[in-house]
Amino acid sequence: QVQLVESGGGLVEPGGSLTLSCAASGSGFSIIAMGWYRQAPGKQRELVAVVTSGGTTNYADSVKGRFTISRGNVRNAAYLQMNSLKPEDTAVYYCNAMSSSKVESWGQGTQVTVSS
């Protein structure tokens, strides 16, 4: 079983930057992919960015060039560097991990609010 703990959310002004962190803990797991999703009020949860164990990354079109996803040194953590933030980036951001046994885990979510 994998437990994910997120941190780094908060309030930021438009054009500002914020970094989200996700730490995985547990035993007997091997993570093959980690990603960040977000959900705004009244909208479906959407993929923001994902990185696989092979280093392949994918981003939503709306965040390409502004957000960067990365893995920790021991590959049990994921980070999301968010630059040039816009009000439409406001959402609850969730960390996601998939183990080698194809089991998905989710973090509790962290609120990101972009407002003047």
Side-chain angles (χ1 to χ4, degrees):
Q1 202 172 17
V2 179
Q3 291 80 45
L4 303 176
V5 179
E6 301 156 341
S7 62
L11 175 65
V12 64
E13 294 187 357
S17 299
L18 205 61
T19 300
L20 305 182
S21 300
C22 175
S25 63
S27 62
F29 68 87
S30 179
I31 296 174
I32 61 173
M34 297 189 74
W36 288 94
Y37 292 71
R38 68 186 181 187
Q39 187 169 23
K43 296 184 177 181
Q44 295 186 105
R45 186 174 299 186
E46 64 174 349
L47 174 68
V48 176
V50 63
V51 58
T52 71
S53 59
T56 301
T57 58
N58 287 288
Y59 297 90
D61 288 342
S62 60
V63 306
K64 285 181 178 177
R66 299 190 297 121
F67 291 10
T68 302
I69 188 170
S70 61
R71 300 281 295 275
N73 290 335
V74 296
R75 295 189 175 273
N76 64 348
Y79 306 92
L80 186 68
Q81 176 65 50
M82 304 183 292
N83 299 320
S84 302
L85 283 162
K86 306 174 181 179
E88 48 263 48
D89 294 318
T90 296
V92 177
Y93 284 70
Y94 298 90
C95 181
N96 169 269
M98 178 174 286
S99 71
S100 59
S101 59
K102 310 300 182 185
V103 176
E104 289 190 7
S105 299
W106 292 90
Q108 78 285 358
T110 184
Q111 178 71 47
V112 173
T113 302
V114 185
S115 179
S116 298

XYZ file of all heavy atoms in Angstrom:
848
model
N 0.828 -1.172 0.000
C 0.000 0.000 0.000
C 0.879 1.245 0.000
O 1.889 1.289 0.704
C -0.927 -0.003 1.222
C -2.148 0.849 1.064
C -3.138 0.669 2.201
O -2.800 0.145 3.259
N -4.358 1.090 1.979
N 0.489 2.221 -0.801
C 1.237 3.463 -0.926
C 0.407 4.600 -0.346
O -0.772 4.759 -0.677
C 1.586 3.761 -2.393
C 2.338 5.084 -2.503
C 2.406 2.625 -2.981
N 1.040 5.394 0.495
C 0.411 6.599 1.020
C 1.117 7.816 0.438
O 2.343 7.861 0.388
C 0.476 6.644 2.550
C -0.387 5.612 3.255
C 0.259 4.245 3.281
O 1.443 4.107 3.577
N -0.524 3.224 2.966
N 0.332 8.789 0.011
C 0.863 9.991 -0.604
C 0.507 11.201 0.252
O -0.645 11.368 0.638
C 0.305 10.179 -2.013
C 0.537 9.027 -2.994
C -0.152 9.326 -4.326
C 2.028 8.802 -3.209
N 1.501 12.032 0.523
C 1.309 13.244 1.297
C 1.758 14.425 0.472
O 2.902 14.464 0.009
C 2.077 13.196 2.631
C 1.873 14.494 3.407
C 1.618 12.012 3.471
N 0.868 15.394 0.301
C 1.131 16.553 -0.527
C 1.351 17.790 0.327
O 0.821 17.902 1.436
C -0.044 16.793 -1.486
C -0.329 15.609 -2.397
C -1.753 15.598 -2.904
O -2.611 16.264 -2.297
O -2.008 14.913 -3.915
N 2.098 18.721 -0.228
C 2.323 19.995 0.433
C 2.670 21.042 -0.611
O 2.994 20.709 -1.752
C 3.439 19.896 1.479
O 4.669 19.544 0.878
N 2.614 22.297 -0.222
C 3.040 23.381 -1.084
C 1.937 24.246 -1.640
O 2.220 25.266 -2.279
N 0.692 23.874 -1.432
C -0.401 24.689 -1.931
C -0.523 25.986 -1.166
O 0.057 26.167 -0.094
N -1.280 26.903 -1.728
C -1.475 28.180 -1.076
C -2.036 29.213 -2.013
O -2.524 28.904 -3.095
N -1.947 30.463 -1.584
C -2.437 31.599 -2.354
C -1.276 32.296 -3.034
O -0.253 32.589 -2.394
C -3.174 32.576 -1.436
C -3.649 33.888 -2.050
C -4.719 33.627 -3.102
C -4.179 34.810 -0.964
N -1.431 32.563 -4.322
C -0.387 33.232 -5.080
C -1.035 34.202 -6.063
O -2.145 33.972 -6.540
C 0.505 32.204 -5.816
C -0.296 31.434 -6.858
C 1.708 32.883 -6.453
N -0.349 35.295 -6.356
C -0.864 36.277 -7.303
C -0.643 35.820 -8.739
O 0.276 35.045 -9.022
C -0.192 37.632 -7.082
C -0.519 38.274 -5.748
C 0.025 39.678 -5.628
O 0.704 40.144 -6.564
O -0.240 40.322 -4.594
N -1.491 36.278 -9.668
C -1.269 35.945 -11.077
C 0.140 36.302 -11.518
O 0.663 37.363 -11.168
C -2.314 36.786 -11.803
C -3.405 36.960 -10.796
C -2.702 37.090 -9.468
N 0.744 35.398 -12.286
C 2.106 35.581 -12.732
C 3.141 35.031 -11.776
O 4.326 34.960 -12.128
N 2.708 34.630 -10.602
C 3.617 34.102 -9.609
C 3.930 32.636 -9.814
O 3.476 32.009 -10.776
N 4.707 32.085 -8.889
C 5.149 30.695 -8.965
C 4.851 29.967 -7.671
O 4.759 30.570 -6.595
C 6.653 30.617 -9.260
O 6.979 31.209 -10.497
N 4.723 28.661 -7.790
C 4.455 27.810 -6.647
C 4.977 26.417 -6.961
O 4.909 25.978 -8.114
C 2.956 27.757 -6.373
C 2.459 27.442 -4.956
C 2.940 28.485 -3.967
C 0.940 27.368 -4.948
N 5.493 25.722 -5.953
C 5.972 24.363 -6.126
C 5.211 23.420 -5.211
O 5.137 23.646 -4.001
C 7.475 24.248 -5.825
O 8.211 25.096 -6.712
C 7.949 22.809 -6.024
N 4.648 22.377 -5.782
C 3.952 21.356 -5.028
C 4.856 20.145 -4.846
O 5.615 19.792 -5.747
C 2.669 20.925 -5.741
C 1.672 22.031 -6.090
C 0.438 21.422 -6.749
C 1.291 22.835 -4.866
N 4.757 19.506 -3.678
C 5.547 18.324 -3.381
C 4.637 17.170 -3.004
O 3.600 17.367 -2.370
C 6.525 18.593 -2.231
O 7.415 19.631 -2.550
N 5.045 15.974 -3.378
C 4.306 14.763 -3.051
C 5.300 13.700 -2.617
O 6.205 13.343 -3.383
C 3.499 14.284 -4.258
S 2.643 12.710 -4.012
N 5.133 13.194 -1.401
C 6.014 12.159 -0.866
C 5.245 10.861 -0.695
O 4.159 10.849 -0.114
C 6.604 12.602 0.470
N 5.815 9.785 -1.199
C 5.203 8.465 -1.099
C 5.847 7.671 0.021
O 7.066 7.709 0.211
C 5.341 7.707 -2.416
N 5.037 6.947 0.767
C 5.539 6.107 1.838
C 4.792 4.787 1.861
O 3.713 4.654 1.277
C 5.416 6.802 3.198
O 4.059 7.052 3.516
N 5.362 3.816 2.549
C 4.785 2.494 2.630
C 5.871 1.452 2.470
O 7.057 1.738 2.621
N 5.478 0.241 2.172
C 6.430 -0.842 1.995
C 5.964 -1.782 0.896
O 4.763 -1.888 0.612
C 6.624 -1.621 3.301
O 5.407 -2.213 3.721
N 6.918 -2.443 0.290
C 6.610 -3.430 -0.714
C 6.018 -2.885 -2.001
O 5.227 -3.578 -2.661
N 6.399 -1.657 -2.349
C 5.886 -1.083 -3.587
C 7.007 -0.576 -4.469
O 8.102 -0.266 -3.997
C 4.887 0.043 -3.299
C 5.509 1.266 -2.681
C 6.057 2.259 -3.477
C 5.533 1.436 -1.310
C 6.626 3.395 -2.920
C 6.103 2.563 -0.736
C 6.651 3.545 -1.543
N 6.702 -0.489 -5.731
C 7.590 0.104 -6.722
C 6.728 0.957 -7.638
O 5.844 0.447 -8.320
C 8.321 -0.974 -7.514
O 9.157 -0.405 -8.495
N 6.978 2.259 -7.622
C 6.172 3.187 -8.398
C 6.701 3.284 -9.817
O 7.885 3.520 -10.029
C 6.148 4.568 -7.729
C 5.475 4.479 -6.363
C 5.437 5.584 -8.615
C 5.539 5.764 -5.558
N 5.811 3.105 -10.772
C 6.210 3.178 -12.173
C 5.811 4.489 -12.832
O 6.302 4.811 -13.914
C 5.644 1.999 -12.983
C 4.114 2.001 -12.966
C 6.192 0.682 -12.435
C 3.501 0.961 -13.882
N 4.922 5.239 -12.184
C 4.525 6.528 -12.733
C 3.932 7.387 -11.626
O 3.293 6.879 -10.703
C 3.519 6.365 -13.871
N 4.140 8.682 -11.724
C 3.525 9.627 -10.807
C 2.990 10.797 -11.611
O 3.540 11.144 -12.659
C 4.508 10.122 -9.747
C 5.032 9.023 -8.840
S 6.001 9.637 -7.428
C 4.681 10.307 -6.385
N 1.932 11.378 -11.110
C 1.335 12.485 -11.821
C 0.621 13.448 -10.903
O 0.439 13.188 -9.715
N 0.254 14.572 -11.478
C -0.533 15.577 -10.792
C -1.820 15.808 -11.557
O -1.801 15.943 -12.787
C 0.232 16.900 -10.661
C 1.348 16.848 -9.667
C 2.657 16.572 -9.900
C 1.239 17.103 -8.265
N 3.381 16.621 -8.741
C 2.532 16.949 -7.716
C 0.193 17.439 -7.418
C 2.794 17.124 -6.360
C 0.456 17.612 -6.072
C 1.739 17.456 -5.558
N -2.920 15.828 -10.840
C -4.231 16.131 -11.379
C -4.795 17.336 -10.640
O -4.314 17.693 -9.564
C -5.179 14.940 -11.213
C -4.828 13.731 -12.050
C -3.716 12.950 -11.755
C -5.622 13.359 -13.133
C -3.394 11.838 -12.518
C -5.315 12.248 -13.896
C -4.205 11.491 -13.584
O -3.900 10.388 -14.344
N -5.808 17.954 -11.211
C -6.453 19.061 -10.527
C -7.951 19.042 -10.804
O -8.404 18.516 -11.817
C -5.856 20.409 -10.945
C -6.123 20.816 -12.388
C -5.367 22.093 -12.720
N -5.620 22.538 -14.080
C -4.988 23.543 -14.666
N -4.048 24.220 -13.990
N -5.280 23.899 -15.910
N -8.700 19.608 -9.880
C -10.137 19.688 -10.023
C -10.621 21.036 -9.509
O -10.422 21.370 -8.340
C -10.835 18.555 -9.270
C -12.334 18.492 -9.510
C -12.956 17.215 -8.979
O -12.411 16.574 -8.079
N -14.088 16.832 -9.540
N -11.239 21.791 -10.397
C -11.838 23.063 -10.042
C -13.312 22.845 -9.728
O -13.918 21.871 -10.188
C -11.671 24.062 -11.176
N -13.923 23.743 -8.957
C -15.344 23.591 -8.627
C -16.209 23.459 -9.871
O -16.080 24.236 -10.815
C -15.669 24.878 -7.865
C -14.365 25.289 -7.263
C -13.332 24.922 -8.296
N -17.072 22.449 -9.882
C -17.980 22.238 -10.994
C -17.361 21.604 -12.216
O -18.037 21.455 -13.235
N -16.095 21.226 -12.140
C -15.416 20.630 -13.277
C -14.888 19.244 -12.933
O -14.737 18.892 -11.770
C -14.263 21.516 -13.750
C -14.685 22.878 -14.280
C -13.503 23.649 -14.826
C -13.930 24.979 -15.409
N -12.770 25.732 -15.960
N -14.624 18.457 -13.978
C -14.056 17.134 -13.790
C -12.574 17.227 -13.426
O -11.891 18.188 -13.778
C -14.202 16.294 -15.062
C -15.628 15.961 -15.453
C -15.674 15.015 -16.639
O -15.962 13.829 -16.484
N -15.377 15.523 -17.813
N -12.105 16.208 -12.719
C -10.686 16.132 -12.440
C -9.935 15.903 -13.749
O -10.327 15.062 -14.564
C -10.406 15.003 -11.450
C -8.966 14.933 -10.988
C -8.778 13.881 -9.899
N -9.569 14.171 -8.711
C -9.500 13.472 -7.583
N -8.666 12.443 -7.483
N -10.270 13.805 -6.556
N -8.863 16.643 -13.952
C -8.118 16.544 -15.188
C -6.641 16.309 -14.921
O -6.099 16.738 -13.898
C -8.286 17.815 -16.034
C -7.715 19.067 -15.391
C -7.755 20.282 -16.291
O -8.033 20.126 -17.504
O -7.512 21.400 -15.800
N -5.999 15.642 -15.854
C -4.567 15.416 -15.769
C -3.828 16.712 -16.035
O -4.105 17.407 -17.013
C -4.138 14.349 -16.781
C -2.632 14.105 -16.914
C -2.080 13.458 -15.648
C -2.337 13.229 -18.127
N -2.875 17.021 -15.178
C -2.022 18.187 -15.360
C -0.683 17.769 -15.957
O -0.227 18.325 -16.952
C -1.797 18.941 -14.038
C -0.829 20.103 -14.236
C -3.124 19.437 -13.479
N -0.043 16.787 -15.330
C 1.256 16.313 -15.782
C 1.512 14.927 -15.227
O 1.021 14.577 -14.160
C 2.377 17.266 -15.348
N 2.289 14.133 -15.954
C 2.650 12.795 -15.512
C 4.079 12.497 -15.930
O 4.542 12.976 -16.978
C 1.677 11.736 -16.087
C 1.745 11.697 -17.605
C 1.960 10.361 -15.501
N 4.781 11.727 -15.114
C 6.122 11.276 -15.446
C 6.212 9.787 -15.144
O 5.774 9.322 -14.092
C 7.211 12.070 -14.685
C 7.033 11.966 -13.178
C 8.602 11.599 -15.095
N 6.762 9.015 -16.081
C 6.901 7.578 -15.916
C 8.273 7.231 -15.370
O 9.171 8.070 -15.292
C 6.689 6.847 -17.249
O 7.806 7.109 -18.112
C 5.410 7.303 -17.930
N 8.447 5.952 -15.005
C 9.738 5.488 -14.508
C 10.822 5.611 -15.565
O 12.007 5.688 -15.229
C 9.635 4.039 -14.033
O 9.211 3.175 -15.076
N 10.428 5.621 -16.824
C 11.378 5.789 -17.904
C 11.718 7.236 -18.194
O 12.553 7.506 -19.065
N 11.085 8.163 -17.487
C 11.383 9.570 -17.659
C 10.505 10.295 -18.650
O 10.685 11.503 -18.865
N 9.571 9.603 -19.256
C 8.672 10.246 -20.197
C 7.692 11.154 -19.463
O 7.116 10.763 -18.453
C 7.893 9.204 -21.008
O 8.814 8.371 -21.720
C 6.960 9.878 -22.011
N 7.510 12.357 -19.969
C 6.588 13.305 -19.366
C 5.501 13.698 -20.353
O 5.722 13.721 -21.567
C 7.303 14.573 -18.888
O 7.971 15.193 -19.993
C 8.324 14.239 -17.813
N 4.343 13.995 -19.818
C 3.233 14.502 -20.606
C 2.549 15.602 -19.820
O 2.424 15.512 -18.598
C 2.235 13.397 -20.946
C 2.746 12.442 -22.001
O 2.834 12.795 -23.174
N 3.092 11.230 -21.586
N 2.084 16.624 -20.526
C 1.446 17.767 -19.902
C 0.145 18.094 -20.603
O 0.003 17.903 -21.809
C 2.344 19.003 -19.965
C 3.644 18.878 -19.220
C 4.779 18.388 -19.845
C 3.741 19.265 -17.886
C 5.981 18.277 -19.162
C 4.936 19.160 -17.201
C 6.058 18.661 -17.844
O 7.246 18.564 -17.159
N -0.796 18.610 -19.833
C -1.988 19.170 -20.432
C -1.594 20.376 -21.272
O -0.668 21.116 -20.927
C -2.989 19.587 -19.355
N -2.291 20.573 -22.380
C -1.964 21.692 -23.264
C -2.010 23.030 -22.534
O -1.227 23.935 -22.833
C -2.922 21.722 -24.455
C -2.663 20.605 -25.451
O -1.564 20.021 -25.430
O -3.571 20.321 -26.255
N -2.899 23.147 -21.572
C -3.086 24.407 -20.873
C -1.913 24.796 -19.979
O -1.803 25.954 -19.573
C -4.369 24.363 -20.037
O -4.315 23.324 -19.082
N -1.027 23.833 -19.662
C 0.081 24.127 -18.759
C 1.442 23.950 -19.409
O 2.468 24.237 -18.767
C 0.019 23.270 -17.477
C -1.344 23.420 -16.806
C 0.321 21.808 -17.768
N 1.486 23.505 -20.652
C 2.760 23.312 -21.338
C 3.548 24.616 -21.390
O 3.016 25.665 -21.711
C 2.535 22.780 -22.752
C 2.138 21.324 -22.820
C 1.967 20.858 -24.262
C 1.614 19.385 -24.324
N 1.383 18.927 -25.713
N 4.815 24.513 -21.061
C 5.673 25.679 -21.048
C 5.650 26.449 -19.750
O 6.496 27.329 -19.543
N 4.710 26.150 -18.871
C 4.601 26.847 -17.588
C 4.871 25.935 -16.400
O 5.427 26.373 -15.398
C 3.210 27.469 -17.435
C 2.870 28.504 -18.505
C 1.585 29.244 -18.162
N 0.426 28.347 -18.116
C -0.343 28.166 -17.040
N -0.086 28.829 -15.919
N -1.387 27.346 -17.091
N 4.452 24.671 -16.495
C 4.602 23.716 -15.399
C 5.665 22.685 -15.740
O 5.836 22.307 -16.904
C 3.292 22.979 -15.131
C 2.182 23.819 -14.555
C 2.269 25.198 -14.481
C 1.030 23.200 -14.081
C 1.243 25.964 -13.955
C -0.008 23.954 -13.548
C 0.095 25.335 -13.483
N 6.361 22.197 -14.713
C 7.356 21.149 -14.885
C 7.186 20.100 -13.795
O 7.158 20.438 -12.612
C 8.785 21.706 -14.824
O 8.958 22.712 -15.828
C 9.800 20.592 -15.058
N 7.071 18.833 -14.199
C 6.976 17.737 -13.247
C 8.332 17.050 -13.155
O 9.045 16.911 -14.152
C 5.881 16.732 -13.647
C 5.663 15.697 -12.535
C 6.195 16.050 -14.976
C 4.440 14.810 -12.751
N 8.701 16.615 -11.954
C 9.968 15.936 -11.753
C 9.833 14.886 -10.657
O 8.890 14.916 -9.862
C 11.083 16.929 -11.406
O 10.784 17.625 -10.210
N 10.792 13.958 -10.616
C 10.836 12.898 -9.620
C 11.971 13.135 -8.641
O 12.977 13.759 -8.978
C 11.020 11.536 -10.286
C 9.916 11.131 -11.258
C 8.688 10.620 -10.518
N 8.946 9.385 -9.775
C 8.896 8.156 -10.282
N 8.598 7.989 -11.574
N 9.133 7.098 -9.527
N 11.815 12.617 -7.422
C 12.856 12.716 -6.421
C 14.006 11.779 -6.711
O 13.939 10.927 -7.598
N 15.086 11.926 -5.915
C 16.284 11.123 -6.135
C 16.037 9.626 -6.015
O 16.614 8.840 -6.766
C 17.383 11.542 -5.153
C 17.949 12.907 -5.453
O 17.892 13.379 -6.588
N 18.508 13.537 -4.438
N 15.190 9.224 -5.072
C 14.875 7.813 -4.893
C 13.559 7.439 -5.568
O 13.043 6.351 -5.375
C 14.826 7.439 -3.397
C 16.192 7.625 -2.765
C 13.781 8.268 -2.657
N 13.030 8.345 -6.336
C 11.825 8.149 -7.136
C 10.594 7.781 -6.320
O 9.698 7.104 -6.815
C 12.086 7.126 -8.239
C 13.118 7.591 -9.252
C 13.205 6.677 -10.452
N 14.123 7.226 -11.452
C 13.775 8.088 -12.390
N 12.526 8.530 -12.468
N 14.673 8.527 -13.251
N 10.551 8.233 -5.080
C 9.360 8.073 -4.260
C 8.726 9.423 -3.944
O 7.950 9.547 -3.000
C 9.676 7.320 -2.973
C 10.637 8.073 -2.067
O 11.248 9.055 -2.468
N 10.767 7.602 -0.835
N 9.067 10.412 -4.737
C 8.508 11.746 -4.575
C 8.311 12.379 -5.944
O 8.999 12.033 -6.908
C 9.424 12.617 -3.720
N 7.376 13.290 -6.016
C 7.118 14.028 -7.242
C 6.925 15.494 -6.912
O 6.392 15.842 -5.848
C 5.890 13.485 -7.962
N 7.345 16.337 -7.820
C 7.238 17.771 -7.642
C 6.579 18.383 -8.870
O 6.706 17.879 -9.980
C 8.622 18.393 -7.434
C 9.398 17.750 -6.313
C 10.259 16.692 -6.567
C 9.247 18.190 -5.004
C 10.959 16.090 -5.537
C 9.945 17.592 -3.974
C 10.800 16.547 -4.238
O 11.490 15.949 -3.218
N 5.886 19.462 -8.640
C 5.282 20.214 -9.732
C 5.652 21.675 -9.558
O 5.153 22.341 -8.645
C 3.764 20.042 -9.755
C 3.051 20.677 -10.950
C 3.404 19.940 -12.239
C 1.540 20.680 -10.750
N 6.542 22.146 -10.419
C 6.927 23.552 -10.425
C 5.975 24.293 -11.338
O 5.892 23.986 -12.528
C 8.373 23.708 -10.901
C 8.833 25.156 -11.036
C 8.877 25.884 -9.709
O 9.445 25.385 -8.739
N 8.272 27.061 -9.654
N 5.271 25.262 -10.787
C 4.270 26.007 -11.524
C 4.714 27.456 -11.637
O 4.920 28.131 -10.625
C 2.904 25.921 -10.838
C 2.419 24.489 -10.623
S 0.762 24.406 -9.875
C 1.129 25.053 -8.236
N 4.862 27.917 -12.857
C 5.265 29.285 -13.131
C 4.179 29.996 -13.925
O 3.322 29.371 -14.532
C 6.578 29.320 -13.914
C 7.730 28.690 -13.175
O 7.877 28.850 -11.971
N 8.589 27.978 -13.907
N 4.253 31.313 -13.937
C 3.306 32.135 -14.695
C 1.867 31.721 -14.415
O 1.059 31.523 -15.329
C 3.611 32.046 -16.199
O 4.932 32.462 -16.478
N 1.543 31.602 -13.159
C 0.227 31.109 -12.766
C -0.882 32.068 -13.176
O -0.717 33.292 -13.147
C 0.192 30.862 -11.266
C 0.903 29.575 -10.824
C 1.219 29.611 -9.345
C 0.043 28.356 -11.157
N -2.002 31.479 -13.553
C -3.179 32.213 -13.989
C -4.349 31.906 -13.064
O -4.379 30.849 -12.433
C -3.555 31.814 -15.420
C -2.440 31.951 -16.445
C -2.870 31.386 -17.791
C -1.774 31.490 -18.822
N -2.188 30.909 -20.129
N -5.328 32.801 -12.989
C -6.505 32.511 -12.159
C -7.180 31.188 -12.520
O -7.710 30.512 -11.628
C -7.429 33.702 -12.431
C -6.490 34.815 -12.749
C -5.370 34.167 -13.527
N -7.160 30.809 -13.796
C -7.776 29.566 -14.211
C -7.023 28.327 -13.743
O -7.501 27.202 -13.908
C -7.959 29.521 -15.738
C -6.726 29.911 -16.517
C -6.741 31.369 -16.953
O -7.023 32.236 -16.109
O -6.474 31.639 -18.145
N -5.845 28.514 -13.156
C -5.124 27.404 -12.547
C -5.646 27.072 -11.152
O -5.231 26.076 -10.553
C -3.623 27.710 -12.452
C -2.958 27.810 -13.812
O -3.268 26.976 -14.696
O -2.124 28.719 -13.989
N -6.520 27.905 -10.630
C -7.082 27.685 -9.303
C -7.842 26.360 -9.263
O -8.742 26.124 -10.071
C -8.020 28.831 -8.912
O -7.268 30.042 -8.818
C -8.683 28.559 -7.567
N -7.464 25.494 -8.332
C -8.072 24.175 -8.220
C -7.469 23.452 -7.021
O -6.497 23.917 -6.420
C -7.828 23.351 -9.490
N -8.060 22.316 -6.690
C -7.432 21.397 -5.762
C -6.539 20.475 -6.579
O -6.996 19.854 -7.538
C -8.458 20.573 -4.966
C -7.755 19.574 -4.056
C -9.356 21.494 -4.151
N -5.284 20.396 -6.202
C -4.321 19.584 -6.925
C -4.068 18.281 -6.168
O -3.835 18.289 -4.961
C -3.004 20.346 -7.109
C -3.081 21.408 -8.183
C -3.843 22.557 -7.992
C -2.408 21.254 -9.392
C -3.935 23.515 -8.982
C -2.494 22.215 -10.381
C -3.254 23.344 -10.177
O -3.342 24.306 -11.155
N -4.111 17.168 -6.904
C -3.958 15.844 -6.318
C -2.747 15.130 -6.896
O -2.547 15.122 -8.111
C -5.195 14.979 -6.591
C -6.478 15.507 -5.983
C -7.294 16.375 -6.692
C -6.871 15.120 -4.711
C -8.474 16.855 -6.151
C -8.049 15.588 -4.162
C -8.844 16.457 -4.887
O -10.019 16.921 -4.344
N -1.980 14.511 -6.035
C -0.880 13.654 -6.460
C -1.405 12.252 -6.712
O -2.286 11.764 -5.993
C 0.208 13.631 -5.389
S 1.653 12.629 -5.807
N -0.862 11.611 -7.728
C -1.267 10.261 -8.096
C -0.027 9.411 -8.339
O 0.968 9.890 -8.882
C -2.144 10.297 -9.350
C -2.382 8.926 -9.956
O -1.627 8.474 -10.816
N -3.438 8.265 -9.511
N -0.099 8.146 -7.937
C 0.999 7.221 -8.184
C 0.451 5.873 -8.606
O -0.577 5.427 -8.097
C 1.867 7.056 -6.943
N 1.145 5.248 -9.538
C 0.792 3.902 -9.958
C 1.947 2.967 -9.638
O 3.088 3.248 -10.003
C 0.471 3.843 -11.448
C 0.139 2.435 -11.935
S -0.396 2.365 -13.655
C -2.062 3.042 -13.484
N 1.645 1.866 -8.957
C 2.658 0.890 -8.607
C 2.852 -0.103 -9.735
O 2.076 -0.155 -10.691
C 2.277 0.153 -7.322
O 1.192 -0.725 -7.560
N 3.898 -0.924 -9.600
C 4.176 -1.934 -10.605
C 3.079 -2.985 -10.685
O 2.969 -3.684 -11.690
C 5.524 -2.602 -10.319
O 5.535 -3.204 -9.039
N 2.278 -3.090 -9.639
C 1.141 -4.003 -9.637
C -0.126 -3.351 -10.187
O -1.217 -3.912 -10.078
C 0.881 -4.537 -8.235
O 0.609 -3.487 -7.320
N 0.014 -2.169 -10.755
C -1.073 -1.433 -11.415
C -2.127 -0.920 -10.434
O -3.289 -0.750 -10.792
C -1.738 -2.278 -12.498
C -0.769 -2.928 -13.470
C 0.071 -1.911 -14.207
C 0.993 -2.594 -15.206
N 1.910 -1.645 -15.865
N -1.717 -0.677 -9.198
C -2.603 -0.112 -8.193
C -2.347 1.388 -8.089
O -1.203 1.815 -7.925
C -2.414 -0.780 -6.825
C -3.281 -0.106 -5.773
C -2.740 -2.259 -6.917
N -3.397 2.173 -8.189
C -3.281 3.625 -8.098
C -3.515 4.114 -6.674
O -4.366 3.593 -5.954
C -4.282 4.309 -9.029
C -3.955 4.181 -10.495
C -4.833 5.058 -11.361
O -5.621 5.863 -10.811
O -4.750 4.943 -12.594
N -2.763 5.130 -6.290
C -2.931 5.784 -5.002
C -3.101 7.276 -5.232
O -2.569 7.834 -6.195
C -1.723 5.528 -4.096
O -1.554 4.147 -3.846
N -3.837 7.916 -4.339
C -4.116 9.345 -4.444
C -3.775 10.058 -3.154
O -3.983 9.529 -2.057
C -5.595 9.590 -4.763
C -5.996 9.137 -6.130
C -6.468 7.916 -6.490
C -5.960 9.920 -7.328
N -6.724 7.873 -7.840
C -6.423 9.094 -8.381
C -5.583 11.227 -7.614
C -6.522 9.545 -9.693
C -5.673 11.674 -8.922
C -6.144 10.838 -9.947
N -3.273 11.268 -3.296
C -3.060 12.121 -2.143
C -4.357 12.768 -1.708
O -5.410 12.608 -2.341
N -4.282 13.522 -0.623
C -5.476 14.145 -0.057
C -5.893 15.412 -0.793
O -7.014 15.892 -0.611
C -5.245 14.459 1.423
C -4.408 15.710 1.702
C -2.921 15.532 1.455
O -2.454 14.446 1.104
N -2.157 16.611 1.632
N -5.016 15.949 -1.597
C -5.288 17.170 -2.324
C -4.779 18.392 -1.593
O -4.783 18.453 -0.363
N -4.326 19.373 -2.348
C -3.875 20.632 -1.780
C -4.424 21.778 -2.621
O -4.407 21.728 -3.852
C -2.333 20.686 -1.690
O -1.921 21.896 -1.042
C -1.680 20.604 -3.064
N -4.931 22.793 -1.951
C -5.590 23.900 -2.637
C -4.570 24.888 -3.189
O -3.672 25.333 -2.474
C -6.538 24.631 -1.685
C -7.234 25.846 -2.291
C -8.273 25.477 -3.323
O -9.100 24.596 -3.085
N -8.240 26.138 -4.480
N -4.735 25.227 -4.458
C -3.960 26.287 -5.090
C -4.926 27.366 -5.542
O -5.843 27.093 -6.312
C -3.148 25.766 -6.291
C -2.492 26.927 -7.036
C -2.097 24.770 -5.830
N -4.730 28.566 -5.051
C -5.588 29.686 -5.411
C -4.741 30.786 -6.021
O -3.785 31.257 -5.395
C -6.344 30.227 -4.190
O -7.131 29.184 -3.606
C -7.261 31.372 -4.594
N -5.090 31.188 -7.236
C -4.372 32.245 -7.946
C -5.298 33.450 -8.029
O -6.295 33.427 -8.756
C -3.928 31.797 -9.339
C -3.084 32.888 -9.996
C -3.148 30.490 -9.260
N -4.978 34.488 -7.295
C -5.852 35.647 -7.213
C -5.062 36.865 -6.765
O -4.085 36.753 -6.029
C -6.998 35.384 -6.235
O -7.860 36.510 -6.124
N -5.511 38.031 -7.220
C -4.872 39.273 -6.808
C -5.300 39.659 -5.403
O -6.393 39.337 -4.956
C -5.231 40.406 -7.777
O -4.768 40.135 -9.084
